């Protein structure tokens, strides 16, 4: 495989509803789509999941484009590679910038799967045909609205519900949900909104039988999380803190978490995501696949990754129609009874919808 041409498109997609977290609100989604062509003419697609502003991680859409144009594409273009695992090795001298790296690496995995006549899931070593999915619910203007939304997701069959929390929007919100939905598999994601000084509040959450509490403390911390975990019954799930296999190893050794949320973009690609999965499986740490409000290409990659055996907890990959009026792939990602069927066709198993993609494209540039 030798990559000869890459087209980057900047897309803007209207969201059905704004998504609010402890760090900010996303009203419409902007993303980069990478159309990557190899010497044999095989085309793979990648999606850059960085947001416009550096609130969730330090990367933005603009820094991703800069990294791709000035460092990552020049490193990869016209180089002979035998396996997508080589891409992260080629990129290793370039520090961090995981989302930029993941977007191009994902497209190479797609090409590799096609050229070896496998589905992307198979190429990654996945063996599930159906994956269980949950849904992530942003901060709502009122608890009544939140309960109403959760009711609709439960009716749709989603296997677990995650709600965002922040100081002042936590105990009472979770209590209200638990009162209404006694047995619902429920979890809370704080996106780093607390410190160890808030341990009283976090311990009160132990009363509500949450599956886990996601990233309560700082985005770059594993030390305070270890201290906190010792004083909590509820497992901590790390999201922001885990950007590599090394991070995962250290967090597990320290006892900073009981669960890990794996996001392909946050860890720099599918190879690293698979490696974290394999390591956690050995260590008995369950993982699930997180989301970045992806459009269809990113969503397809999440589905393939989630087919690996140790993705034992429902992830955040809701159906396309949860976020989009019209997704950029055909068929769209469909959730039935809380399950997504993992495509068996070669490659990602969904076809990019060029008409929709072109309609949503703001700018486009071709690199050779
Ligand atoms: O539905 C999704 O794609 C995941 C939604 C979500 O929780 C999220 C969305 C944007 C940024 C960070 C996060 C997160 O998992 O922390
Ligand atoms: Mg999170």
């Amino acid at each position: 495989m030798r990559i000869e041409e890459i087209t980057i498109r900047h897309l803007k997609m209207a969201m059905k509803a704004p998504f609010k977290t402890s760090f900010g609100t996303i009203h419409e989604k902007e993303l980069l789509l990478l159309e990557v062509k190899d010497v044999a003419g095989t085309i793979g697609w990648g999606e850059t999941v960085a947001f416009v502003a550096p609130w969730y991680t330090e990367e933005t859409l603009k820094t991703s484009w800069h990294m791709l144009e000035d460092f990552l594409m020049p490193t990869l273009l016209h180089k002979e590679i035998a396996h997508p695992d080589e891409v992260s090795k080629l990129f290793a001298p370039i520090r961090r910038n995981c989302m930029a790296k993941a977007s191009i690496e994902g497209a190479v995995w797609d090409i590799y799967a096609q050229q070896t006549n496998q589905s992307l899931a198979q190429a990654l070593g996945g063996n599930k045909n159906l994956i269980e999915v949950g849904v992530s619910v942003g901060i709502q203007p009122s608890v009544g609205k939140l309960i109403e939304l959760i009711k609709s997701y439960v009716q749709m069959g989603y296997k677990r519900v995650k709600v965002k929390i922040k100081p002042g929007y936590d105990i009472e919100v979770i209590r209200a949900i638990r009162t209404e939905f006694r047995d619902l598999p429920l979890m809370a994601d704080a996106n780093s909104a607390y410190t160890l000084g808030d341990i009283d509040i976090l311990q009160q959450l132990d009363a509500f039988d949450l599956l886990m509490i996601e990233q309560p403390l700082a985005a770059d911390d594993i030390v305070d999380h270890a201290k906190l975990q010792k004083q909590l019954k509820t497992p901590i799930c790390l999201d922001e803190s885990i950007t590599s296999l090394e991070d995962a190893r250290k967090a597990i050794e320290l006892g900073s978490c009981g669960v890990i949320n794996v996001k392909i973009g946050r860890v720099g690609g599918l190879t690293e995501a698979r490696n974290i999965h394999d390591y956690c499986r050995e260590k008995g740490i369950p993982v699930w696949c997180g989301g970045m409000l992806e459009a269809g290409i990113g969503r397809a990659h999440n589905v393939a990754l989630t087919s690996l055996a140790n993705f034992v907890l429902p992830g955040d990959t809701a159906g396309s129609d949860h976020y989009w009026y019209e997704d950029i792939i055909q068929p769209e990602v469909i959730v039935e009874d809380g399950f997504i069927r993992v495509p068996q066709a070669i490659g990602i198993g969904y076809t990019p919808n060029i008409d929709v993609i072109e309609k949503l494209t703001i700018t486009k540039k071709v690199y050779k």
Side-chain angles (χ1 to χ4, degrees):
M1 181 171 27
R2 205 164 72 226
I3 306 306
E4 297 290 10
E5 188 183 301
I6 300 176
T7 303
I8 299 188
R9 292 179 176 85
H10 177 179
L11 274 67
K12 195 183 243 187
M13 285 174 85
M15 300 189 72
K16 283 185 172 174
F19 192 84
K20 187 170 178 186
T21 70
S22 62
F23 60 72
T25 307
I26 297 158
H27 294 272
E28 48 190 355
K29 180 78 200 275
E30 294 187 40
L31 58 113
L32 301 182
L33 261 196
L34 273 59
E35 184 181 358
V36 175
K37 201 192 275 184
D38 121 295
V39 66
T42 312
I43 290 173
W45 291 82
E47 179 174 330
T48 314
V49 299
F51 297 122
V52 171
W55 293 330
Y56 169 74
T57 62
E58 68 277 21
E59 291 184 86
T60 69
L61 205 103
K62 269 194 195 170
T63 69
S64 300
W65 198 322
H66 159 52
M67 292 310 299
L68 285 160
E69 179 167 291
D70 295 326
F71 298 102
L72 301 172
M73 290 195 294
T75 303
L76 182 66
L77 274 168
H78 315 299
K79 278 227 179 86
E80 190 60 45
I81 53 171
H83 191 276
D85 285 349
E86 292 169 30
V87 177
S88 44
K89 292 203 181 88
L90 281 174
F91 290 166
I94 299 160
R95 287 189 202 268
R96 298 180 68 90
N97 292 285
C98 290
M99 293 173 179
K101 289 175 179 172
S103 56
I104 195 166
E105 191 245 29
V108 174
W109 267 103
D110 180 4
I111 292 172
Y112 172 78
Q114 293 176 59
Q115 293 189 344
T116 52
N117 277 310
Q118 310 177 72
S119 66
L120 179 59
Q122 248 180 327
L124 288 165
N127 56 6
K128 287 184 256 164
N129 293 327
L130 284 174
I131 59 170
E132 282 191 300
V133 290
V135 63
S136 173
V137 191
I139 291 170
Q140 299 301 318
S142 71
V143 174
K145 178 84 208 283
L146 178 62
I147 301 270
E148 193 184 300
L149 274 177
I150 294 174
K151 217 167 258 170
S152 72
Y153 299 137
V154 169
Q155 260 158 24
M156 285 179 217
Y158 280 105
K159 299 288 184 191
R160 70 100 171 100
V161 171
K162 159 170 138 183
V163 294
K164 297 288 186 178
I165 54 168
K166 61 176 186 177
Y169 181 96
D170 42 36
I171 307 296
E172 293 318 316
V173 173
I174 298 294
R175 190 195 311 282
I177 300 170
R178 250 308 161 243
T179 307
E180 193 79 21
F181 307 94
R182 184 183 290 273
D183 301 317
L184 175 70
L186 177 66
M187 59 176 289
D189 184 359
N191 288 110
S192 301
Y194 298 88
T195 68
L196 274 185
D198 299 311
I199 195 154
D200 286 357
I201 294 170
L202 297 166
Q203 279 176 326
Q204 284 179 60
L205 290 174
D206 270 342
F208 301 108
D209 241 330
L210 299 180
L211 292 170
M212 66 195 96
I213 300 174
E214 186 175 342
Q215 197 71 35
L217 308 179
D220 59 358
D221 170 76
I222 53 172
V223 174
D224 284 358
H225 278 103
K227 288 186 192 158
L228 177 62
Q229 184 65 91
K230 285 190 184 67
Q231 299 184 65
L232 281 189
K233 276 197 317 205
T234 310
I236 291 174
C237 169
L238 289 176
D239 173 357
E240 284 89 332
S241 293
I242 306 297
T243 69
S244 63
L245 174 60
E246 270 299 274
D247 285 349
R249 177 184 66 76
K250 291 169 187 167
I252 292 169
E253 277 182 21
L254 267 181
S256 316
C257 62
V259 181
I260 289 181
N261 162 339
V262 180
K263 288 187 187 173
I264 302 164
R266 201 194 61 231
V267 305
L270 282 164
T271 293
E272 195 76 358
R274 182 207 59 205
N275 291 346
I276 293 172
H277 162 275
D278 293 351
Y279 181 78
C280 288
R281 191 179 191 195
E282 255 171 55
K283 298 291 168 187
I285 299 287
V287 303
W288 55 276
C289 182
M292 289 291 286
L293 316 175
E294 286 93 346
I297 298 297
R299 216 159 276 277
H301 287 218
N302 288 347
V303 170
L305 180 67
T306 307
S307 74
L308 274 68
N310 193 38
F311 282 86
V312 288
L313 297 160
D316 275 348
T317 308
S320 296
D321 68 347
H322 178 65
Y323 286 119
W324 315 120
Y325 294 105
E326 185 177 34
D327 204 345
I328 59 171
I329 50 167
Q330 263 306 324
E332 300 199 342
V333 172
I334 294 163
V335 174
E336 261 172 341
D337 265 340
F339 291 99
I340 295 173
R341 192 164 288 282
V342 180
Q344 304 298 307
I346 62 163
I348 60 174
Y350 301 89
T351 308
N353 188 332
I354 298 288
D355 290 345
V356 175
I357 290 171
E358 288 291 336
K359 199 169 68 188
L360 299 171
T361 298
I362 305 169
T363 45
K364 165 171 159 176
K365 196 165 169 186
V366 182
Y367 300 83
K368 290 183 192 213

